[in-house]
């Protein structure tokens, strides 16, 4: 305490001066100085550039080969060195290559870019690796962290071209980045892999924007998979966290969940699908409270003993049915708004729908329709086809 007091009272070499606290020419705080140091890449141990001219390398593969020399080193105290590296894709760079990772861990490397988007040349994806022609394929390893937005062009062959293909591997995608417009799948996650891509962009896929299967897991909250043929597909004991996603305007199905999985889908918008907003089957369980599933053929279709919660959901203007449950499936919830659909609620073949305290009016054909041991419970709900007018079309 005495030493601290002496220093605080001192001057010049004996005390704290402005030079020790602030940049004397710019009067910057320490936080501002840290930000400038970060911008100068001082937080990275190694930075390499990739581009057509004037860069360190012309391909990402060449950059990875160089950086692997600096990989994390095991230390006897069971820790690792803190090596961190960056690959900077220079403005105008086009990815004309395939990256095949086998057993290596590149998670300590970030891929960033000067441009807002980096083009993947589809015609360069000529080698079939496993089942796909991928831009990045990783087996038993970890990809670099994706901190740019890759956009696949329309050159060359479209069949089976995939952005990222994970097999028993992991991949981290920074928010607001990802892969879009792949003619096949933007990301295929399989065989125990892990994808961490919250708030990522995976729009415009010609097949499935993100497919998660065979005991893999994916953190996809707030992702954007809109404008794809299929937005998100999950099966084979996989695990998903996909609350508040944007899966609008998908050509066939916005979200498809099958095969004994349990999924969180709360607050998501699945409107505008060609066939199904949400399709759930084969004993899967989905919590989809506050869901939006409008303007499709079927807003929510539940089959083969699946279970779905739709509390607070809005399901309107679907051309066949707002909610359809069949073959022993169960749909439940309250405060559901299912209006303006051809059939608002449709239960068949032992399916059961519970929609208490809900608004179920304005169907274009039938408000509630149950057949073949289907059951609908709509206590204290208004299900008239025309509000205030009783009709044989209210319930059949």
């Amino acid at each position: 305490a005495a030493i601290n007091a002496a220093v605080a009272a001192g001057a010049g070499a004996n005390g704290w001066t402005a030079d020790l606290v602030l940049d004397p020419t710019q009067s910057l705080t320490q936080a501002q100085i840290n930000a400038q140091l970060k911008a100068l890449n001082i937080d990275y141990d190694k930075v390499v550039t990739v581009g057509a001219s004037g860069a360190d390398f012309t391909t990402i593969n060449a950059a990875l080969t160089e950086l692997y020399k600096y990989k994390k080193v095991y230390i006897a105290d069971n820790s690792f060195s803190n090596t961190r590296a960056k690959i900077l894709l220079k403005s105008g760079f086009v990815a004309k290559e395939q990256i095949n990772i086998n057993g290596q861990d590149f998670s300590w490397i970030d891929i960033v870019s000067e441009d807002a988007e980096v083009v993947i040349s589809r015609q360069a994806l000529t080698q079939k690796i496993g089942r796909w022609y991928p831009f990045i394929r990783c087996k038993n390893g970890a990809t670099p962290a994706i901190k740019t937005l890759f956009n696949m062009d329309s050159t060359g062959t479209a069949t089976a071209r995939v952005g990222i293909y994970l097999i028993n591997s992991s991949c981290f995608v920074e928010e607001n980045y990802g892969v879009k417009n792949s003619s096949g799948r933007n990301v295929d996650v399989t065989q125990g892999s892990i994808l961490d891509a919250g708030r990522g962009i995976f729009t415009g896929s010609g097949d499935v924007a993100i497919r998660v299967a065979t005991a893999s897991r994916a953190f996809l909250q707030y992702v954007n998979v809109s404008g794809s043929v299929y937005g998100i597909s999950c099966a084979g004991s996989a695990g998903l966290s996909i609350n508040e996603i944007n899966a609008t305007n998908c050509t066939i199905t916005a979200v498809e969940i099958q095969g004994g999985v349990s999924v969180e889908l709360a607050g998501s918008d699945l409107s505008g699908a060609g066939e199904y907003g949400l399709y759930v089957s084969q004993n899967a369980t989905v919590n989809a409270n506050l869901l939006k599933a409008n303007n499709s053929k079927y807003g929510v279709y539940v089959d083969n003993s699946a279970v779905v919660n739709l509390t607070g959901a809005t399901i309107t203007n679907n051309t066949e049915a707002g909610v359809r449950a069949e073959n022993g499936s169960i749909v439940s919830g309250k405060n559901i708004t299912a209006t303006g659909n051809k059939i608002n609620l449709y239960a068949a073949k032992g399916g059961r729908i519970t929609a208490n305290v809900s608004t179920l009016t304005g169907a274009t054909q039938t408000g509630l329709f149950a057949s073949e041991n289907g059951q609908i419970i709509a206590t204290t709900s208004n299900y008239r086809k025309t509000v205030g007018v009783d009709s044989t079309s209210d319930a059949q």
Side-chain angles (χ1 to χ4, degrees), residues 73-333:
V73 178
Y74 179 74
I75 300 174
D77 65 357
N78 297 320
S79 64
F80 290 84
S81 64
N82 293 320
T83 304
R84 192 76 194 169
K86 178 169 77 171
I87 296 173
L88 174 62
L89 307 180
K90 300 294 287 182
S91 181
F93 172 76
V94 176
K96 301 178 180 179
E97 59 187 315
Q98 291 177 264
I99 300 163
N100 188 14
I101 299 168
N102 283 289
Q104 295 89 12
D105 178 4
F106 287 115
S107 61
W108 51 280
I109 299 173
D110 294 345
I111 297 180
V112 304
S113 63
E114 291 182 343
D115 292 338
E117 296 184 4
V118 174
V119 172
I120 300 170
S121 175
R122 196 173 72 188
Q123 66 184 356
L125 308 181
T126 58
Q127 181 182 3
K128 190 174 185 179
I129 308 174
R131 62 185 299 195
W132 306 117
Y133 297 82
F135 169 55
I136 298 176
R137 184 256 200 180
C138 187
K139 183 176 183 180
N140 303 324
T143 72
I146 306 300
K147 298 187 177 182
T148 187
L149 179 57
F150 287 102
N151 184 1
M152 190 178 293
D153 69 17
S154 57
T155 60
T157 303
T159 304
R161 270 55 183 179
V162 169
I164 300 174
Y165 179 24
L166 303 177
I167 308 167
N168 189 32
S169 296
S170 64
C171 176
F172 170 74
V173 179
E174 182 79 14
E175 62 183 60
N176 300 316
Y177 300 122
V179 181
K180 67 179 187 178
N181 295 327
S182 298
S183 54
R185 298 175 178 179
N186 287 332
V187 187
D188 190 82
V189 187
T190 188
Q191 297 183 31
S193 294
I194 299 173
L195 173 65
D196 184 349
R199 299 184 187 275
I201 298 173
F202 302 94
T203 57
S205 170
D207 182 13
V208 184
I210 303 175
R211 166 74 169 171
V212 185
T214 55
S216 297
R217 292 182 291 134
F219 174 80
L220 303 174
Q221 294 194 57
Y222 308 101
V223 299
N224 188 345
V225 294
S226 62
S228 301
V229 175
Y230 292 84
I232 293 177
S233 179
C234 175
S237 300
L240 281 181
S241 178
I242 50 176
N243 294 336
E244 299 191 53
I245 68 167
N246 178 355
T248 56
N249 300 317
C250 290
T251 308
I252 297 179
T253 301
V255 174
E256 178 182 77
I257 310 293
Q258 301 185 68
V261 299
S262 180
V263 174
E264 289 289 324
L265 188 61
S268 297
D269 192 347
L270 316 186
S271 301
E275 291 287 329
Y276 307 101
L278 172 62
Y279 181 87
V280 187
S281 183
Q282 299 174 6
N283 300 297
T285 301
V286 176
N287 176 29
N289 62 297
L290 302 177
L291 182 78
K292 294 179 182 178
N294 311 314
N295 303 304
S296 303
K297 187 175 181 180
Y298 294 93
V300 177
Y301 196 112
V302 188
D303 198 6
N304 293 322
S305 301
V307 178
V308 175
N309 168 41
L310 292 176
T311 296
T314 301
I315 304 165
T316 65
N317 302 321
N318 295 286
T319 59
E320 285 298 322
V323 180
R324 178 163 178 162
E326 60 184 28
N327 293 315
S329 294
I330 298 173
V331 176
S332 62

